[in-house]
Amino acid sequence: MQITDTAVSLTVEDTGTSAAFLRRHFGYTEQMSADGFVSLAHPGGGVNVVYLRRGLEMLPEEQRHRTADGVVLAFVVEDIAAEERRLREEGVAITLPLREEPWGEKLFQVTDPNGVVVELVEWVKQ
């Protein structure tokens, strides 16, 4: 198997607000959209993000009313303290404060308007 790209698909109430959050605060760009669907990519690479509106009939019945609850969208960054400051200055609420784990990971979390948790991570050189 040759994988040519990677995307995570998240079901949310309002695809537009989640897409706008990633565009404004994380530099994602919209690749395509339709009623109840938005596909985003980042110019630096990494994972593409697809938002689907909850209840969309194209989804299998057992998936239609699920949401992204419990999912953490994690981005690895180089200067986590600067990113945390930038997001605070942009008015984004920090929902898990910046901390360092004993295994060498610095992280913090924000939450988008639909409840999707976005975690920023920096690996500390040990």
Side-chain angles (χ1 to χ4, degrees):
M1 168 185 5
Q2 179 181 351
I3 296 174
T4 60
D5 211 347
T6 302
V8 61
S9 182
L10 305 171
T11 304
V12 296
E13 292 293 332
D14 183 345
T15 59
T17 58
S18 284
F21 188 80
L22 281 190
R23 285 193 311 267
R24 178 173 181 211
H25 301 295
F26 295 96
Y28 271 75
T29 58
E30 185 176 303
Q31 300 301 295
M32 63 181 102
S33 65
D35 182 35
F37 164 84
V38 180
S39 178
L40 302 149
H42 195 275
V47 68
N48 293 344
V49 178
V50 175
Y51 291 112
L52 300 171
R53 185 180 62 237
R54 189 175 71 80
L56 214 64
E57 288 189 15
M58 64 156 288
L59 292 170
E61 178 65 36
E62 66 275 7
Q63 294 176 15
R64 281 184 198 155
H65 298 288
R66 294 181 184 171
T67 62
D69 188 45
V71 173
V72 175
L73 187 56
F75 301 133
V76 177
V77 299
E78 291 186 0
D79 187 348
I80 198 160
E83 294 298 334
E84 193 260 358
R85 275 191 309 278
R86 177 185 66 79
L87 288 168
R88 278 189 194 278
E89 289 169 2
E90 292 176 3
V92 176
I94 307 301
T95 51
L96 178 70
L98 181 60
R99 66 186 198 198
E100 187 170 340
E101 302 292 357
W103 52 84
E105 174 184 33
K106 290 182 183 178
L107 64 100
F108 72 93
Q109 294 179 345
V110 299
T111 304
D112 90 350
N114 283 296
V116 176
V117 176
V118 180
E119 180 174 279
L120 277 75
V121 176
E122 179 179 17
W123 293 102
V124 179
K125 293 181 176 47
Q126 305 245 347

